[in-house]
Amino acid sequence: MDAKIQKLKEWVDGSDNIVFFGGAGVSTESGIPDFRSVDGLYNQHYKYPPETILSHSFYLQETEEFYRFYRDKML
């Protein structure tokens, strides 16, 4: 095994938590739609932008709309 890959494996094996920052290329390859494409969330017809709908304050104020979006796009 390459020394760099071995070192990465050691870090992963020794970690309790790992954070991965990926972009649209990672998510779309996994079947998750991106935000900006023709079928993306920003081109959908909702009364509010997705980042607003998914906020805690929006959930508290517009619970029904939050769950409508959640059922449509997150499940």
Side-chain angles (χ1 to χ4, degrees):
M1 184 179 299
D2 181 83
K4 290 180 181 179
I5 295 173
Q6 180 60 37
K7 186 64 175 175
L8 176 61
K9 182 182 181 326
E10 291 171 14
W11 288 339
V12 171
D13 289 345
S15 298
D16 291 329
N17 298 297
I18 297 172
V19 176
F20 172 78
F21 294 99
V26 174
S27 56
T28 54
E29 285 294 316
S30 302
I32 300 168
D34 64 25
F35 280 73
R36 293 174 185 86
S37 68
V38 174
D39 295 329
L41 288 176
Y42 283 125
N43 291 315
Q44 307 275 319
H45 299 287
Y46 287 93
K47 189 175 176 181
Y48 306 94
E51 64 272 17
T52 299
I53 295 173
L54 294 174
S55 70
H56 184 255
S57 57
F58 186 87
Y59 166 76
L60 294 174
Q61 295 169 359
E62 301 281 346
T63 307
E64 187 175 323
E65 183 67 11
F66 171 88
Y67 278 115
R68 184 175 80 85
F69 180 85
Y70 184 83
R71 279 190 303 274
D72 289 350
K73 297 297 172 193
M74 305 300 286
L75 295 180

